[in-house]
Amino acid sequence: MKRVELLAPAGDYNALLNAVNAGCDAVYLGGKNFGARAYAPNFDYEDLEKALEFCHLRDVKVYVTVNTLILNEEMDKLVEYIDFLYSIGVDAVIVQDLGVLKFLRENYPDFEVHASTQMTVHNLEGVRELAERGVSRVILSRELTLEEIRHIASNSPIDVEVFVHGAMCVSYSGQCFMSSLIGGRSGNRGRCAQPCRLKYSLVNKHGNILKENLHLLSMVDLCTIEHIPLLIEAGVSSFKIEGRMKSPEYVASVVKAYREAINSYYEGRAFDSTKDMEEMAKVFNRGFSTGYLFERKPSKMSYVTPKNIGVPVAEVVKTKGREVKVRLLQDIRKGDGISDSKGEKGHRIQEIIKNGQKVDVAFKGEIVTLYLDFYPKEKDILNKTYDYLLNESLKNLPEKKVPVKIYAELKKEMPFVVRVEDGIFFGEANSGSIPQVAKKVSIEEDFLKDKLSQIGDTPFYPEKVVVSLDKGLFMPVKDIKETRRKAIDELKLKKLAFYQREKLQKEVKLPEGREKSECPVLTFYTDKLNHLEIASSLGIPYVYFDYKLNESILKEAVKLLEGKDTVLVAAFPSILREEMKDIERQLQLLRELDIRNILVSNLGLYHILKNSDFRLFIDYPLNVFNSLAVEYFNAYAVTLSYELTLEQMKDIAKRSDIKFEAVIYGHLPLMTTEHCPIRNLVGCDRAKCEKGYYFLKDRKGKLMPIKNNGFCRIQILNGDVLFMANHMEELKKSGLSFLRINDTIEEDEEIEKILQMHIKALEGEKIEVPEGNYTKGHFYRGVL
């Protein structure tokens, strides 16, 4: 059985050292650009080379994140970076952008590529699609259950990686635009500002507050250490720990714990996770859960605080201003961090008073006095958010060493020879000088073994030392050590040379551009039959109809369009999990109804359809951000990412003959999530949820509609409506073929007015922005 890999995060070099020394098999890290954690310290070119050397000498793999969406104008810089990563021997790159994947496979065929969780791969068909494109590993969406992971892993032609510990995004990775649309910082570009961790209120359509001022989208941390055997037996290839923004001490504690859990499984030993979970919780936690492994809709959330809550440390007995008498629930010492139970107020302990005396340490069960910078009440529970002693111990882990076998020969009339082997590579050296006949003291076997074993300043340790020597010979100790050093240096050089590659100095060649004179037409996306009817009566050429895989609704839609010029494009959900089981039947139904156009928004469905007789429209959840990503698809039309500016869309449109679309109106989705705040807080209300009855209210009073997509998946929509009808003349000159109006929670009368307004704008009539909360999205500002 191939052992599962333990993959650790490294936000900086100290975290990398801790990850390796704690026992990981591989690390993932980012450079200064093109990584999904732009706010981590990350690694410059010199740091990357240093990291590669440290890891490869210790048989640890290094994967580098190139997992952001890339603009056309950034391609030259990206290719220079990839060429550097390739030449220094990076084991694999982790990518999100399908254009980057295409470029890598065509230009660096032997460079291993891992598909980031940002690709939103959540079904077996998506894995198979990427396998066909030369990806060697897929990092699955975190929302999958253990059964789904088992199904995918056991049938996958390539490695499958899953997250096992760390922070959880509430949205499907790759499908979150909240930070982007609200603050201009794109999660798809590595600059997420984490607005999901802020406070919100849940309100209904009438403005009634149902839950107030809570962190309604903040998930607790994932912890699966108790279920490692189940995940190994499910066929997972790599266990990934989240945490490139976390401290080196955090990395050490988590890696150490999961290393022990994995080793225990393979060695057949019982494993008790209690101590490890306590230690990890002391370093950082928002509360732990198993995420989605055993429940489709996680119920445990960090509603009270998104910060580190630590562990309970003391109960307040009496207060007098800053002077607080507490009964200890566990030991404390000076330098520990202490906070209120919400984790919102806290500080480092500077003074502990026990029996009127200052002490450095106090123990569980004792009553002591602390001086706090906040004011708890009697009977409040205080938490320890920083354990000084534990963190200090995690800063000084023993350095990881690789076992080697050392062989040496000390023979008459021959140079002294040392050979060092690590099981794959070897280094060999000779002294260049001949041993002398001993006059007083000769070299004995134990003495020679001892000198050869003194390699503590190297990445190795002597597992076995074998010497063959003739009696009565003498050689200076410095010559023995120098010969040993040269053999080890040769071993190191051979190990490092194995990874290094020739610098290829590739160039990216984008398609040539040409101006387009095509006048765009309007398209319309809806999941409502009556809105389909309104659109067709107004002569909208194309309607993307999300029929929610309901046969009777689809047949009714076809009937409504009889005798009309409107083309129906069947729209499938961006997330297809158990729904994939029904896809072949759905496709047969479309053929029977003579529907030949399909809107595709996930890789699994594209894999099924790419060589079919259907005409494919690629939708924005597939994050087409550059011209190379366009070329990835065999498609009739592509809806470009709504994180692009109009100028960037123009640049892409002019470089291809396929048809391009931009969304120009609607409540754009901020995120797609399996978490349902409505179900958790007020109970399932599917009928109202599908109609946009509930809203999140932010700290500025803005309302964000919550809409069920028909499959009990939640889309949180932007409260500000994208509106570009007053810029129609610019849009008409952009080279775009289709301009889409997105229907989400609009009423009948409202949607008719919107459609009529856009028809008039397209005909040349000047349009004013209506009253209300409207935005131009990223058409002119772009994203960071």
Side-chain angles (χ1 to χ4, degrees):
M1 178 191 291
K2 181 181 176 183
R3 286 177 68 103
V4 71
E5 173 189 86
L6 180 58
L7 176 58
D12 61 22
Y13 195 75
N14 286 332
L16 178 135
L17 296 180
N18 267 14
V20 173
N21 293 335
C24 72
D25 300 303
V27 295
Y28 67 101
L29 51 87
K32 294 295 185 181
N33 298 298
F34 309 117
R37 289 292 182 271
Y39 299 125
N42 292 318
F43 292 71
D44 60 21
Y45 277 24
E46 185 179 339
D47 289 336
L48 281 168
E49 291 185 278
K50 185 179 173 185
L52 263 290
E53 179 174 328
F54 183 84
C55 290
H56 283 162
L57 286 175
R58 291 159 179 81
D59 298 332
V60 172
K61 292 184 176 182
V62 178
Y63 309 140
V64 175
T65 58
V66 190
N67 57 341
T68 59
L69 300 180
I70 312 297
L71 296 165
N72 275 354
E73 58 260 37
E74 296 171 324
M75 282 296 176
D76 288 339
K77 188 176 180 182
L78 172 74
V79 172
E80 178 187 314
Y81 180 53
I82 288 175
D83 207 56
F84 170 74
L85 298 179
Y86 177 80
S87 67
I88 64 173
V90 167
D91 293 276
V93 285
I94 305 169
V95 304
Q96 172 187 11
D97 193 304
L98 293 169
V100 176
L101 169 60
K102 183 176 185 295
F103 178 82
L104 281 163
R105 288 286 57 90
E106 291 174 355
N107 292 276
Y108 300 86
D110 60 334
F111 203 176
E112 189 169 319
V113 177
H114 298 176
S116 170
T117 190
Q118 290 285 122
M119 278 198 189
T120 327
V121 180
H122 54 275
N123 52 48
L124 178 60
E125 291 75 11
V127 174
R128 287 173 172 163
E129 166 62 23
L130 293 171
E132 284 187 8
R133 296 303 184 107
V135 170
S136 58
R137 177 184 296 181
V138 170
I139 304 152
L140 296 178
S141 292
R142 279 172 266 211
E143 287 76 7
L144 300 185
T145 65
L146 179 63
E147 286 305 312
E148 288 173 308
I149 292 169
R150 181 181 290 114
H151 170 69
I152 292 172
S154 60
N155 292 283
S156 171
I158 56 178
D159 285 352
V160 165
E161 178 177 305
V162 299
F163 282 91
V164 294
H165 193 96
M168 293 276 285
C169 290
V170 69
S171 173
Y172 277 90
S173 294
Q175 304 305 311
C176 185
F177 304 90
M178 194 173 199
S179 176
S180 168
L181 289 170
I182 291 174
R185 296 179 181 273
S186 171
N188 284 316
R189 301 271 288 164
R191 298 185 180 275
C192 179
Q194 296 192 322
C196 57
R197 297 289 185 184
L198 298 176
K199 287 183 177 180
Y200 298 94
S201 296
L202 180 66
V203 303
N204 64 20
K205 194 172 185 178
H206 308 296
N208 299 323
I209 297 175
L210 307 176
K211 293 290 178 180
E212 188 171 14
N213 213 29
L214 294 171
H215 299 274
L216 296 181
L217 301 177
S218 181
M219 299 194 76
V220 297
D221 290 345
L222 177 67
C223 179
T224 67
I225 195 164
E226 296 176 287
H227 305 288
I228 288 304
L230 292 176
L231 286 163
I232 292 174
E233 290 161 10
V236 174
S237 304
S238 179
F239 290 165
K240 187 170 197 167
I241 296 165
E242 183 277 337
R244 281 199 288 140
M245 299 287 286
K246 297 291 200 319
S247 70
E249 295 77 35
Y250 171 91
V251 173
S253 69
V254 178
V255 172
K256 192 159 60 74
Y258 280 81
R259 177 78 279 154
E260 178 60 22
I262 292 168
N263 288 351
S264 295
Y265 173 83
Y266 285 111
E267 293 166 13
R269 293 187 281 111
F271 175 70
D272 183 355
S273 63
T274 306
K275 183 180 177 183
D276 291 298
M277 289 185 72
E278 286 177 356
E279 181 176 294
M280 291 188 292
K282 286 179 181 179
V283 177
F284 186 95
N285 84 95
R286 296 182 178 94
F288 288 144
S289 83
T290 54
Y292 297 89
L293 278 186
F294 305 107
E295 57 177 357
R296 297 294 296 265
K297 302 290 179 186
S299 54
K300 190 175 181 183
M301 301 288 289
S302 56
Y303 289 143
V304 175
T305 177
K307 300 177 182 178
N308 177 22
I309 62 173
V311 294
V313 68
E315 180 182 8
V316 176
V317 175
K318 187 178 180 181
T319 66
K320 184 181 178 182
R322 292 184 60 244
E323 185 180 299
V324 181
K325 187 173 287 188
V326 300
R327 179 181 291 105
L328 295 179
L329 305 176
Q330 61 172 275
D331 302 349
I332 61 169
R333 67 180 55 241
K334 282 178 63 176
D336 283 352
I338 195 165
S339 78
D340 64 0
S341 59
K342 294 182 179 180
E344 293 179 340
K345 301 171 184 176
H347 71 131
R348 292 287 179 92
I349 297 172
Q350 302 298 325
E351 197 172 358
I352 304 171
I353 307 297
K354 183 171 69 173
N355 299 326
Q357 301 293 319
K358 290 183 180 181
V359 295
D360 291 336
V361 183
F363 302 98
K364 180 179 178 180
E366 294 180 340
I367 293 178
V368 299
T369 298
L370 306 175
Y371 292 90
L372 304 180
D373 290 343
F374 56 95
Y375 302 95
K377 298 175 183 177
E378 288 185 16
K379 297 188 179 180
D380 277 0
I381 299 297
L382 304 181
N383 287 350
K384 184 193 287 190
T385 54
Y386 184 85
D387 189 306
Y388 176 81
L389 193 64
L390 173 60
N391 276 269
E392 286 301 303
S393 71
L394 293 170
K395 289 177 181 176
N396 299 293
L397 298 179
E399 185 178 308
K400 178 176 180 176
K401 304 280 187 177
V402 175
V404 292
K405 295 181 175 67
I406 302 174
Y407 301 92
E409 287 189 351
L410 188 69
K411 298 288 187 179
K412 294 177 182 177
E413 301 179 356
M414 294 178 62
F416 174 54
V417 177
V418 177
R419 181 182 175 98
V420 184
E421 301 178 354
D422 73 348
I424 299 175
F425 303 97
F426 71 90
E428 189 170 279
N430 68 67
S431 62
S433 59
I434 306 298
Q436 304 166 12
V437 175
K439 294 180 180 178
K440 293 183 179 179
V441 180
S442 63
I443 300 293
E444 299 297 330
E445 181 176 332
D446 288 345
F447 178 84
L448 183 57
K449 283 184 177 181
D450 178 63
K451 298 307 173 189
L452 292 172
S453 298
Q454 294 175 13
I455 57 173
D457 59 343
T458 76
F460 312 110
Y461 72 87
E463 181 182 51
K464 180 180 180 182
V465 180
V466 178
V467 299
S468 176
L469 74 169
D470 292 341
K471 297 290 185 182
L473 298 179
F474 172 78
M475 173 166 276
V477 171
K478 67 179 182 62
D479 290 352
I480 294 173
K481 290 184 175 180
E482 178 64 13
T483 307
R484 180 200 69 204
R485 183 194 64 77
K486 288 193 292 184
I488 285 178
D489 283 350
E490 184 181 338
L491 171 62
K492 288 164 66 176
L493 286 172
K494 284 183 177 179
K495 282 177 76 80
L496 295 176
F498 172 79
Y499 293 96
Q500 292 167 352
R501 310 179 184 98
E502 179 185 358
K503 200 161 189 176
L504 298 181
Q505 296 182 311
K506 293 288 184 177
E507 294 182 359
V508 65
K509 294 181 181 178
L510 296 175
E512 292 294 324
R514 61 177 181 80
E515 295 301 321
K516 290 182 177 179
S517 58
E518 180 178 10
C519 184
V521 299
L522 295 177
T523 61
F524 180 56
Y525 184 102
T526 188
D527 61 357
K528 306 175 186 74
L529 281 167
N530 49 338
H531 289 192
L532 170 67
E533 187 173 18
I534 291 169
S536 64
S537 68
L538 292 172
I540 301 297
Y542 291 89
V543 174
Y544 305 115
F545 186 58
D546 179 3
Y547 70 102
K548 300 176 184 177
L549 309 187
N550 186 309
E551 182 175 339
S552 61
I553 290 177
L554 182 61
K555 287 180 177 178
E556 196 169 341
V558 171
K559 190 174 181 180
L560 280 174
L561 294 182
E562 285 179 1
K564 304 283 180 65
D565 293 331
T566 297
V567 174
L568 188 146
V569 182
F572 285 75
S574 60
I575 305 300
L576 288 167
R577 290 166 63 176
E578 69 277 1
E579 297 87 359
M580 287 300 285
K581 299 172 185 176
D582 194 39
I583 287 300
E584 288 302 332
R585 190 181 72 83
Q586 294 296 327
L587 297 180
Q588 183 57 37
L589 173 64
L590 295 180
R591 290 187 175 96
E592 290 171 3
L593 296 173
D594 199 30
I595 298 171
R596 314 307 295 177
N597 301 284
I598 296 180
L599 183 67
V600 179
S601 54
N602 80 75
L603 281 173
L605 184 60
Y606 177 72
H607 179 69
I608 293 170
L609 293 173
K610 63 182 179 181
N611 297 316
S612 72
D613 55 345
F614 288 99
R615 191 162 65 170
L616 305 185
F617 294 67
I618 300 302
D619 204 4
Y620 64 79
L622 283 163
N623 288 319
V624 175
F625 216 69
N626 56 62
S627 294
L628 297 184
V630 173
E631 293 182 345
Y632 178 95
F633 294 103
N634 175 25
Y636 171 72
V638 170
T639 306
L640 295 171
S641 166
Y642 51 70
E643 293 189 285
L644 293 167
T645 66
L646 183 56
E647 286 302 314
Q648 289 161 348
M649 291 182 187
K650 285 181 183 178
D651 185 63
I652 294 172
K654 73 182 183 182
R655 297 178 188 275
S656 174
D657 291 329
I658 74 166
K659 297 185 180 298
F660 290 97
E661 177 177 70
V663 179
I664 64 165
Y665 175 90
H667 289 276
L668 296 181
L670 298 176
M671 64 170 62
T672 300
T673 175
E674 292 288 347
H675 162 60
C676 182
I678 300 162
R679 175 181 178 272
N680 279 3
L681 297 170
V682 299
C684 184
D685 192 356
R686 182 165 178 167
K688 288 180 180 177
C689 184
E690 289 184 12
K691 294 178 180 178
Y693 180 81
Y694 296 95
F695 298 80
L696 289 183
K697 185 177 181 180
D698 71 11
R699 65 194 189 284
K700 295 180 180 178
K702 284 193 174 182
L703 297 176
M704 292 173 281
I706 301 172
K707 190 174 188 296
N708 183 328
N709 74 344
F711 298 91
C712 275
R713 293 188 186 99
I714 298 297
Q715 281 195 324
I716 296 173
L717 307 175
N718 196 2
D720 291 343
V721 180
L722 176 64
F723 188 88
M724 286 291 293
N726 57 328
H727 296 277
M728 190 61 76
E729 291 307 309
E730 289 177 81
L731 292 169
K732 287 161 72 171
K733 298 173 186 175
S734 64
L736 296 167
S737 301
F738 301 131
L739 304 175
R740 187 198 295 187
I741 298 156
N742 240 35
D743 173 29
T744 50
I745 61 169
E746 288 79 2
E747 301 290 345
D748 297 359
E749 185 178 339
E750 182 183 6
I751 206 67
E752 186 167 2
K753 286 181 180 178
I754 290 162
L755 289 169
Q756 288 173 341
M757 189 183 300
H758 283 81
I759 290 169
K760 290 175 182 177
L762 196 60
E763 291 171 349
E765 187 173 321
K766 189 175 180 181
I767 300 296
E768 298 295 331
V769 181
E771 286 188 19
N773 297 319
Y774 292 96
T775 175
K776 294 188 287 290
H778 289 301
F779 275 92
Y780 299 106
R781 70 171 180 172
V783 292
L784 292 176

